[in-house]
Amino acid sequence: MVNAPPTPPPTTAAELHDQSQTQPQGSSTAPPPPAQLAQDSFPASFPLIVDLAAKAQYHDLIFKAEEIDVLSHTSRSPSRLFTLAPLVLTYLIMDNLPPAQYALSRLPDPLPSLPLTKALSELAKATADRQYNKIYSRAQALFNLASQPDFPDPKLASVVANLVTNFVEAFRQRTLVLLSRAYSSLPLSLAQVYLGISDDQVVKATEQYGWSYDTSTRILEPKAHAISTPQKSLDSISLTTFKFIADSVAELEA
């Protein structure tokens, strides 16, 4: 139809409307898709996550990280781990295990298969199951992963390494409290399993809290209630966080 007359330009309101519906939009003015917006939000918010982690402001870190991750729940970008990894490790530091595991479970493919996600999941599972013989080794494995020269981002590596260290310290402290309340005496070898450190380190650590050690029998005797723990309840943060997650997901699926 080379010789056909040219199509006249639209003149009526109906013709103009039809043209606006069929005309392709220029790529320069089209808004980015929601998935791209979600991906871009993770590195942009990471400096705040780093600052909160460095200051041990764990409650604030949890709220901020949950807000970012839940509202970007469809993102499959590996950069999502900039938020997810500090979030999970902070939950572990706070001994809030169900929300740590839930944060991992909501990751879409292919993120669960990434080495960092696998290491986080293994540590969270061992901690939830109180597998003392695995908790410390998996924490060390995660620390070693973050220390590799080919780790994706050096700042993320630093945050992960520091939070893993803080988790081990917090977990060991809580374990000492439980041991002092559960035992009137226990073998040094058993304490070593619970605390994940050498015999000499166990003796040195427990002496700081008033425990006694019999070198002939290799038996430790905890001093009852020698170790105190912070009295802050974590129930409020747990319930509030779960409510935020539930409300946010409901809004996204509406």
Side-chain angles (χ1 to χ4, degrees):
M1 302 294 292
V2 176
N3 298 323
T7 303
T11 55
T12 67
E15 290 173 341
L16 290 170
H17 175 74
D18 291 342
Q19 185 188 55
S20 67
Q21 296 298 311
T22 59
Q23 185 176 357
Q25 299 295 319
S27 58
S28 61
T29 58
Q36 184 63 44
L37 290 176
Q39 294 176 16
D40 291 344
S41 67
F42 297 109
S45 58
F46 187 59
L48 176 58
I49 299 294
V50 172
D51 183 62
L52 293 173
K55 296 177 180 177
Q57 295 179 354
Y58 295 138
H59 289 72
D60 293 338
L61 192 157
I62 286 173
F63 277 119
K64 183 61 180 178
E66 282 288 2
E67 178 185 16
I68 298 166
D69 192 70
V70 172
L71 296 180
S72 305
H73 75 295
T74 59
S75 174
R76 299 174 184 269
S77 170
S79 65
R80 184 169 177 176
L81 297 185
F82 279 72
T83 297
L84 192 281
L87 174 63
V88 170
L89 288 170
T90 300
Y91 272 135
L92 295 183
I93 291 171
M94 305 287 282
D95 204 28
N96 264 350
L97 303 176
Q101 294 179 302
Y102 178 66
L104 288 162
S105 70
R106 65 180 180 238
L107 289 177
D109 290 333
L111 300 184
S113 62
L114 296 179
L116 178 56
T117 313
K118 286 184 176 181
L120 288 166
S121 298
E122 290 174 354
L123 177 59
K125 184 179 187 308
T127 306
D129 295 341
R130 288 299 190 258
Q131 296 175 305
Y132 290 90
N133 59 331
K134 295 181 179 180
I135 291 170
Y136 299 109
S137 62
R138 290 181 176 178
Q140 185 64 51
L142 179 54
F143 184 92
N144 293 342
L145 176 65
S147 302
Q148 295 299 314
D150 60 347
F151 193 81
D153 184 272
K155 291 185 178 179
L156 178 59
S158 178
V159 170
V160 169
N162 289 338
L163 289 176
V164 169
T165 300
N166 292 345
F167 159 70
V168 170
E169 292 176 354
F171 184 81
R172 189 170 285 138
Q173 172 74 14
R174 286 193 293 267
T175 303
L176 279 167
V177 172
L178 293 174
L179 293 176
S180 68
R181 294 173 179 172
Y183 291 92
S184 58
S185 64
L186 74 161
L188 177 62
S189 58
L190 182 58
Q192 192 273 336
V193 172
Y194 280 125
L195 300 176
I197 50 181
S198 68
D199 291 353
D200 291 342
Q201 290 173 317
V202 169
V203 173
K204 184 177 180 181
T206 55
E207 283 179 347
Q208 297 178 10
Y209 296 102
W211 293 27
S212 60
Y213 174 61
D214 188 328
T215 56
S216 61
T217 61
R218 293 176 60 83
I219 295 295
L220 287 161
E221 294 187 1
K223 183 178 180 180
H225 309 297
I227 306 174
S228 60
T229 54
Q231 295 302 310
K232 281 187 178 179
S233 172
L234 300 179
D235 292 342
S236 59
I237 180 70
S238 301
L239 294 174
T240 305
T241 300
F242 269 116
K243 184 177 185 301
F244 169 77
I245 294 172
D247 292 346
S248 299
V249 172
E251 291 177 4
L252 290 167
E253 294 180 348

